Amino acid sequence: MSGLNIRIVTEQDLDRCFEIETVSYSGDEAATRGKILKRIKTYPEGFIVLEGGGEVIGFINSGATRKVELSDQEFKELVGHDPEGKHIVILSVVVHPTYQGMGMASRLMKNFIYRMKKLGKSDIYLICQTELIDMYAKYGFVNLGASDSNHGGMSWNEMSLSLQDN
């Protein structure tokens, strides 16, 4: 696909980001429209979108913190977010189903990692389902083991990437 662009989110992207979130995640796993808006307003520099063909087709959003607690559900609402924090916690990595399997998540991840390094962050954390561990490992993430989180009633794995080594 030509004409791809990665940029920082704007409030005009809210409806499309919410649409992508709800068609890509099941049930309680998807963030609400209100949570996505809060993420846009609170930490836009940690929220990037991938555009293709004139529309948003995927995104990554995150928060920054001084202390990482991946099982903390309040952080999904950015409670404890500190833009000066050196640790980044990814909240969503999502590509619209129409564009999955085309390398779009890879483009987003590489760009996101680059941006977080440029912001002087020390590491990136996330939780993921077991079937995604190998995908994140391709970018240098290390599996820290099972998470205490039961977000969406599912079991999760914690992963981290040191930005000092890359």
Side-chain angles (χ1 to χ4, degrees), residues 39-66:
R39 294 171 188 177
I40 291 169
K41 287 183 169 184
T42 304
Y43 197 49
E45 57 268 53
F47 195 141
I48 61 171
V49 297
L50 172 62
E51 292 177 309
E55 69 178 349
V56 173
I57 61 174
F59 61 88
I60 295 178
N61 60 44
S62 67
T65 184
R66 295 179 191 269

Side-chain angles (χ1 to χ4, degrees), residues 57-151:
I57 61 174
F59 61 88
I60 295 178
N61 60 44
S62 67
T65 184
R66 295 179 191 269
K67 182 180 177 192
V68 177
E69 293 182 41
L70 292 175
S71 62
D72 183 356
Q73 289 300 305
E74 289 184 331
F75 197 77
K76 291 274 185 189
E77 297 181 39
L78 295 179
V79 173
H81 166 73
D82 178 350
E84 301 302 316
K86 292 293 184 186
H87 311 290
I88 295 295
V89 177
I90 290 178
L91 304 171
S92 293
V93 176
V94 61
V95 172
H96 191 281
T98 301
Y99 301 97
Q100 291 177 4
M102 301 170 73
M104 300 303 163
S106 181
R107 288 176 185 259
L108 276 165
M109 283 303 298
K110 288 175 183 174
N111 187 281
F112 184 81
I113 291 166
Y114 172 79
R115 287 173 185 261
M116 294 306 107
K117 283 183 192 178
K118 294 277 285 182
L119 288 175
K121 303 306 180 183
S122 63
D123 38 39
I124 302 172
Y125 292 84
L126 58 81
I127 62 172
C128 68
Q129 298 289 297
T130 302
E131 62 270 14
L132 296 175
I133 291 172
D134 290 342
M135 181 192 79
Y136 289 115
K138 285 192 269 186
Y139 306 105
F141 281 84
V142 175
N143 186 0
L144 304 175
S147 175
D148 290 335
S149 175
N150 64 354
H151 177 66

Side-chain angles (χ1 to χ4, degrees), residues 1-10 12-13 16-17 20 48-59 99 104 107-108:
M1 171 180 264
S2 61
L4 294 174
N5 179 47
I6 297 176
R7 62 172 171 78
I8 291 177
V9 72
T10 67
Q12 288 73 36
D13 300 317
R16 179 64 175 165
C17 288
I20 294 170
I48 61 171
V49 297
L50 172 62
E51 292 177 309
E55 69 178 349
V56 173
I57 61 174
F59 61 88
Y99 301 97
M104 300 303 163
R107 288 176 185 259
L108 276 165

